[in-house]
Amino acid sequence: MSGRSYGHTAPMPRVPAASAPDPSRHRKWWRLPRRTGSGRWLRALGLTGVVLVGAWLGLLVVGNVRTTVGPMDTTMALRPSLSGGTKVNVSPLGALTLDSHVAPVRLDVDVDQLDPGRAQALVDHPERLSGLQDEVARDVERGTLDLAVRSCVAVVTGATALGLAVYRRPRPALAAGGLALALLAASGVSAWTTWNPKSVLEPKFSGLLSSAPSVVGNARSIVSDFDVYQQELARLVTNVTKLYDVASTLPAYQPDPSTIRVLHVSDIHLNPAAWKIIGSLVEQYKVDVIVDSGDTMDHGTSAENGFLDPVKDLGVPYVWVRGNHDSRATQRYLEGIKNAHVLDEGDAETIAGVRFAGTGDPQFTPDRSQATGGDAAERLAGARLASALRDQRAKGTPVDIAVAHEPVAAAETDGTVPLVLCGHLHTQGTKVLPLGTRLRREGSTGGSGLRAVEGQYPAPIEASVLYLDRDTRRLQAWDAIKLGGLGRTTAEVSRHLVQR
């Protein structure tokens, strides 16, 4: 017989079933490990970081809402904060901060611009101001509701997207989004329960607004007094000048009451704040005549001409020469203003007891279709002005002050006039030329206009008050006035005596 066995089968080896894996080897990431507590805390901290960073990125990228508040266009946004509150940014005026609520989020409201149409409607219909506060309240409420919805979407999207990028699985990503939404909801509840409507009556000011708490005190004033930037710069000039008169340690020079006072301005470049400042200086210094050495405009288009209308309200004669940013159309418009005296091609006039002569800049640089003549063209214009000055002297009507825009043109008058005024370089300066003429260069009374923030610091706003002897019409002294540019509150007045 063979050795086979027919009644017994050898046992087969056991293979673990594929459907029953060891749970300890494939534990899901959100299940905290049983063996140690450190891993549990690390994973919780990691998830918290993903939620916070993702929510912040979501708010930063898509959490803004653009809305109108009264006549203003604003942007509202929620930002992470340890103390909460509300911050209203009125650029370039500054900002005011309200202790409106306590929560880990702050409400930021940026005032982007004043809508000309809606603002003009308030001017034309002042009776609407009585309902402006209610209108602002409704606009803010509507904008806040829109912001709440947008912020919910933003934090969920941001946290979910970051969770998906970090964990590469949908469930943890959705968990991060849900936690972000819960965090925002908790912040909203905290803000609602701690809301302080009286905070608007006790704002904290920064920037130029820090010098204007009496003007901007509540939400309605922010709307109705939006031009406070211009007004407060003017007030700043007045206050600093008074301080200078009382406590100056500069060389003592008290101008005789009969002294002729000339305000020299230049390079306004369409900055409307300049008119407030000029008006304040005229009143404070009892100015007899204003001299503008050009570049009042920026592009010289006819659409800009209305910018010149405040000239007629300054109350004193306004002597003007064309700059390289002022067109012939600008010049013709200004010639139609009653108290304006436009000088060109060596024209001479006696104004406020002073004999002036001037010439416009031969170049109009905004027009790129025509080649400019550079310094050669300026020297030629200056030579023509010098010739006109010699002719005036020969006729027995010598000129006291010549005016040109470019320093290169102004320098050509050396020896033909005691004093020549210019601008163009946006910096103040003075020097005596070889043949005895004093050249006085003014800075930018408009703070360089649209170019105010091209450098590291905002360009200053500059002007000068010149004191002339009434009998000789010769310069005796001048005050150089310099204000900090946009968003800055510095001011400086320095007096200079003419060295004989």
Side-chain angles (χ1 to χ4, degrees), residues 86-98 106-111 203-213 216 222 228 487 489:
T86 299
K87 185 175 183 181
V88 181
N89 299 299
V90 189
S91 179
L93 186 61
L96 57 91
T97 303
L98 311 175
R106 183 186 72 227
L107 174 62
D108 281 4
V109 181
D110 293 332
V111 178
K204 299 175 183 177
F205 298 90
S206 62
L208 283 176
L209 281 178
S210 61
S211 62
V216 181
I222 296 171
V228 68
T489 56

Side-chain angles (χ1 to χ4, degrees), residues 126-139:
E127 67 276 5
R128 296 182 182 179
L129 288 173
S130 60
L132 184 59
Q133 189 167 2
D134 294 334
E135 178 185 349
V136 169
R138 289 193 300 269
D139 291 342

Side-chain angles (χ1 to χ4, degrees), residues 72 93 96 132-133 136 200 212-228:
M72 299 180 298
L93 186 61
L96 57 91
L132 184 59
Q133 189 167 2
V136 169
V200 74
S214 61
V215 178
V216 181
N218 53 50
R220 179 174 179 176
S221 295
I222 296 171
V223 177
S224 59
D225 295 332
F226 190 75
D227 62 342
V228 68

Side-chain angles (χ1 to χ4, degrees), residues 296-340:
T296 314
M297 303 304 210
D298 206 59
H299 300 94
T301 62
S302 298
E304 296 172 289
N305 287 341
F307 176 76
L308 297 169
D309 290 345
V311 168
K312 62 179 178 290
D313 300 322
L314 294 175
V316 295
Y318 195 88
V319 179
W320 183 85
V321 298
R322 188 179 65 252
N324 61 290
H325 282 261
D326 303 316
S327 66
R328 297 280 181 175
T330 298
Q331 180 166 312
R332 288 191 295 271
Y333 187 87
L334 196 57
E335 287 171 345
I337 296 179
K338 186 176 181 180
N339 62 314

Side-chain angles (χ1 to χ4, degrees), residues 135-432:
E135 178 185 349
V136 169
R138 289 193 300 269
D139 291 342
V140 170
E141 182 179 359
R142 185 185 67 251
T144 303
L145 291 176
D146 292 344
L147 178 62
V149 175
R150 175 69 68 90
S151 297
C152 289
V153 176
V155 298
V156 171
T157 303
T160 302
L162 186 60
L164 191 61
V166 171
Y167 298 111
R168 301 183 182 277
R169 294 180 183 178
R171 292 185 65 180
L174 292 174
L179 289 174
L181 182 60
L183 178 62
L184 181 63
S187 300
V189 171
S190 175
W192 181 73
T193 55
T194 60
W195 182 254
N196 177 22
K198 294 183 179 180
S199 63
V200 74
L201 302 177
E202 299 177 348
K204 299 175 183 177
F205 298 90
S206 62
L208 283 176
L209 281 178
S210 61
S211 62
S214 61
V215 178
V216 181
N218 53 50
R220 179 174 179 176
S221 295
I222 296 171
V223 177
S224 59
D225 295 332
F226 190 75
D227 62 342
V228 68
Y229 169 59
Q230 303 170 30
Q231 297 173 358
E232 286 311 299
L233 272 182
R235 179 179 296 184
L236 185 61
V237 174
T238 301
N239 292 342
V240 170
T241 304
K242 289 180 179 178
L243 177 63
Y244 168 80
D245 287 340
V246 173
S248 174
T249 58
L250 298 169
Y253 174 76
Q254 297 300 325
D256 187 89
S258 63
T259 298
I260 300 174
R261 306 185 185 198
V262 178
L263 174 61
H264 184 199
V265 302
S266 189
D267 296 89
I268 293 175
H269 284 289
L270 284 180
N271 186 349
W275 299 125
K276 297 287 186 180
I277 295 168
I278 292 172
S280 177
L281 290 172
V282 168
E283 180 180 358
Q284 182 67 25
Y285 281 87
K286 297 177 174 58
V287 167
D288 297 294
V289 57
I290 302 169
V291 176
D292 185 343
S293 50
D295 273 6
T296 314
M297 303 304 210
D298 206 59
H299 300 94
T301 62
S302 298
E304 296 172 289
N305 287 341
F307 176 76
L308 297 169
D309 290 345
V311 168
K312 62 179 178 290
D313 300 322
L314 294 175
V316 295
Y318 195 88
V319 179
W320 183 85
V321 298
R322 188 179 65 252
N324 61 290
H325 282 261
D326 303 316
S327 66
R328 297 280 181 175
T330 298
Q331 180 166 312
R332 288 191 295 271
Y333 187 87
L334 196 57
E335 287 171 345
I337 296 179
K338 186 176 181 180
N339 62 314
H341 300 264
V342 176
L343 303 179
D344 198 8
E345 302 294 338
D347 294 338
E349 288 189 53
T350 299
I351 305 164
V354 180
R355 187 76 170 164
F356 292 94
T359 188
D361 198 295
Q363 305 179 92
F364 180 52
T365 52
D367 184 2
R368 302 301 176 88
S369 64
Q370 297 182 2
T372 57
D375 286 353
E378 299 295 341
R379 282 191 289 268
L380 179 59
R384 290 174 177 170
L385 176 58
S387 177
L389 295 173
R390 284 189 288 267
D391 292 343
Q392 290 289 328
R393 180 187 295 174
K395 291 189 298 185
T397 56
V399 170
D400 303 308
I401 299 178
V403 188
H405 177 66
E406 257 267 15
V408 174
E412 294 296 314
T413 65
D414 188 17
T416 64
V417 68
L419 176 65
V420 61
L421 304 179
C422 63
H424 185 65
L425 299 183
H426 296 195
T427 58
Q428 291 180 334
T430 185
K431 65 178 179 179
V432 178

